[in-house]
Amino acid sequence: AQSVTQLGSHVSVSEGALVLLRCNYSSSVPPYLFWYVQYPNQGLQLLLKYTTGATLVKGINGFEAEFKKSETSFHLTKPSAHMSDAAEYFCAVSDRSGGSNYKLTFGKGTLLTVNP
Amino acid sequence: ETGVTQTPRHLVMGMTNKKSLKCEQHLGHNAMYWYKQSAKKPLELMFVYNFKEQTENNSVPSRFSPECPNSSHLFLHLHTLQPEDSALYLCASSPAGTTNTGELFFGEGSRLTVL
């Protein structure tokens, strides 16, 4: 069974500061990893994903994440926070052992607040 | 048109009402999903459809009844709901088969309030 742990349900940063949202996963097989963002009253939008290849993945809006197998982590970073980054962020893992469908397992989410 | 469209965006219903949520995807996908998102709880997978066939029912109460007439449309029929069913209901789609990496494409959700 796979699982996702997001450390910190709420992270607050100042505008211009580094954003670091932590995600650790467990999976019995090499995983696919995702970060989604949810703005208020909206659905989830894919920020970035890791499937194979380069372990440093770049996404939209200046975010990136690094897959570290030895640490079973996939932390999300952005060098300089912007007010528009305020949202809830979800880490998710899917495994490749399924048949025609893969189930995503989501973390509980981290609410990012950006202070002026 | 946006990839995954959900209607209505907001719905208020009494416990004795019957209503339906609708989801339509324009991405050519063959798998569709219903998720429930409640405050302070993780996303809960409710139902999965592959090529119009239900492949997963995650122990959802029978007052929620899904319908998938074709690969582009998904409905969630609601009847005799309880106040604790108030939540954001999210529809998602994905490719089925070997092109599937698990990535889901979400609609904007239907905010349901049960009085």
Side-chain angles (χ1 to χ4, degrees), chain A residues 32 34 36 38 41-46 49 51 88 90 94-95 99-104 106-108, chain B residues 9 31 33 35 37 42-43 45 48 50 56 88 90 94 96-97 100-104 106-108 111:
Chain A
Y32 293 143
F34 305 83
Y36 283 85
Q38 185 178 33
N41 298 312
Q42 292 190 26
L44 277 69
Q45 177 185 1
L46 183 71
K49 64 181 178 182
T51 53
E88 190 154 23
F90 295 89
S94 74
D95 68 54
S100 60
N101 259 91
Y102 295 77
K103 268 196 305 185
L104 276 190
F106 287 89
K108 292 185 178 181
Chain B
R9 293 292 311 280
Y33 310 72
Y35 278 85
Q37 187 178 33
L43 278 155
L45 178 64
V48 181
N50 268 287
E56 183 146 352
L88 182 68
L90 292 164
S94 73
N100 186 6
T101 62
E103 178 182 350
L104 296 178
F106 285 87
E108 293 195 320
R111 173 71 62 186

Side-chain angles (χ1 to χ4, degrees), chain B residues 40-51:
Chain B
K40 302 190 186 305
K41 293 176 73 173
L43 278 155
E44 299 173 56
L45 178 64
M46 301 175 71
F47 301 103
V48 181
Y49 278 81
N50 268 287
F51 296 94

Side-chain angles (χ1 to χ4, degrees), chain A residues 13 40-41 54 84-85 106:
Chain A
V13 301
N41 298 312
S84 61
D85 295 326
F106 287 89

Side-chain angles (χ1 to χ4, degrees), chain A residues 2 28-30 94-99 101-102:
Chain A
Q2 51 197 14
S28 57
V29 296
S94 74
D95 68 54
R96 309 182 202 181
S97 61
N101 259 91
Y102 295 77

Side-chain angles (χ1 to χ4, degrees), chain A residues 64-85:
Chain A
E64 62 183 35
E66 187 171 11
F67 169 55
K68 291 187 176 180
K69 183 179 178 180
S70 61
E71 299 177 8
T72 61
S73 69
F74 192 56
H75 302 329
L76 182 70
T77 61
K78 182 174 180 177
S80 176
H82 192 273
M83 297 294 289
S84 61
D85 295 326

